[in-house]
Amino acid sequence: MKVVKIAIGTLVVAVILILSLSLFVKNELADMLNPFIPQKDVFVKIDQIGEKIDSQTYEYTLEGINEDGKKVQIAFTASKQLREGAYLKVDTKRTFVKSWEEVQLKDIPSVARNKLQ
């Protein structure tokens, strides 16, 4: 019984430590794991070519507009060079990019659409 209490106590301390560190540290892993950071969509327009990382990976660092109409700097990778002029909806948690997909301009909320054009 004593071993179970020690194990539970250690687990609780570890969880508290991880959560508190992820509140103060801004990096992808901390943002991905932190349950208190909300997921938000960020809309971007591809206005540059991606930086080639290796034979199948391109990195993009772009300024986008989130659902609230605020400017957000995001960085993400793609397995191909993306089409210039394309609009993307990027699913983010602060600096962590979960996924992205190409969307039509008409599918972007008007708050973001007006600032992207």
Side-chain angles (χ1 to χ4, degrees):
M1 189 67 172
K2 187 174 183 180
V3 174
V4 173
K5 286 183 181 180
I6 291 172
I8 291 173
T10 304
L11 182 63
V12 168
V13 169
V15 168
I16 290 171
L17 183 62
I18 290 170
L19 287 177
S20 63
L21 284 176
S22 67
L23 287 174
F24 300 111
V25 176
K26 285 189 176 182
N27 67 39
E28 286 186 47
L29 180 60
D31 291 348
M32 177 181 71
L33 296 175
N34 191 334
F36 301 110
I37 297 175
Q39 280 189 236
K40 290 193 174 191
D41 289 332
V42 175
F43 298 92
V44 298
K45 181 177 183 180
I46 303 297
D47 58 2
Q48 64 188 30
I49 60 171
E51 180 183 338
K52 191 170 188 171
I53 303 299
D54 59 38
S55 64
Q56 295 181 342
T57 307
Y58 297 87
E59 183 175 54
Y60 290 86
T61 302
L62 301 167
E63 187 173 90
I65 308 296
N66 69 12
E67 300 165 322
D68 304 327
K70 296 179 184 171
K71 289 184 180 181
V72 178
Q73 188 86 9
I74 61 166
F76 62 95
T77 58
S79 60
K80 62 180 181 175
Q81 201 62 263
L82 299 176
R83 181 176 59 85
E84 275 197 65
Y87 293 96
L88 302 181
K89 179 173 99 171
V90 184
D91 186 9
T92 68
K93 276 184 79 176
R94 199 162 50 186
T95 61
F96 173 68
V97 173
K98 182 177 178 182
S99 64
W100 58 265
E101 66 176 312
E102 187 171 341
V103 295
Q104 298 299 315
L105 183 61
K106 65 181 176 60
D107 297 328
I108 297 174
S110 60
V111 172
R113 185 182 330 129
N114 296 333
K115 293 184 179 184
L116 282 176
Q117 290 181 345

